[in-house]
Every structure is written in structure tokens, then in C-alpha cells.
Amino acid sequence: AEQYAIEKRFVRKDGTTCWAHVRTSVVRDGPGVPLYMIAVVEDVTERRRAQSELAARAHELRRLLDSAPDVISRFDRE
């Protein structure tokens, strides 16, 4: 069976977006003639949102830690 997978964004009729992981397979007979296709669509909107939030928090933490030596050295001097 030939397989294909992609993660893509869909726009609903109401204008909101959702993300889905789409997997497809072509099922063939013995000589290789395509018989039918199977598709599995998994809503991954919440996972994508959580990953985005985690990346934003990691960026903020990195920015905070990068400035920490300046704050600590000022505190030690006072």
C-alpha cells in the first residue's frame, strides 16, 4: 500500500481554522490495480496550540535567563 501523510490547516465554514494530520493509503489488488483509498484525518488543533504556547513560554524563559546574570551582578553589588 502506498502511503502519504501531511499536516495541514483547514478553514471551516464559520471562518475558524483547525489543524489536521491526514494519512492516506492506496489499497491495490494482486497485479497492482488501485482498488480504493483509505484516509484517516486526526484533529491536532489542540496539540498545535499547546506546542505554540510551549514555544512562546520557552522563548520568554530563555529571554529571562539570558538577562539573569545582569540582574544577579547588580544585586550582588548592592
Side-chain angles (χ1 to χ4, degrees), residues 7-78:
E7 204 163 278
K8 70 182 281 178
R9 182 177 63 97
F10 291 90
V11 179
R12 296 183 178 117
K13 285 183 181 181
D14 66 2
T16 61
T17 59
C18 66
W19 283 90
H21 184 81
V22 181
R23 291 183 299 271
T24 62
S25 295
V26 176
V27 178
R28 299 177 181 274
D29 66 6
V33 177
L35 297 174
Y36 54 90
M37 186 170 81
I38 299 171
V40 177
V41 180
E42 177 186 5
D43 184 348
V44 294
T45 305
E46 183 59 28
R47 177 180 57 83
R48 296 275 303 216
R49 185 204 58 76
Q51 286 175 329
S52 179
E53 185 177 316
L54 184 60
R57 288 184 181 190
H59 177 73
E60 181 63 23
L61 180 59
R62 173 59 45 207
R63 192 180 63 76
L64 181 64
L65 291 175
D66 286 347
S67 66
D70 295 336
V71 172
I72 292 170
S73 66
R74 285 188 215 139
F75 180 75
D76 287 342
R77 282 187 243 149
E78 293 175 8

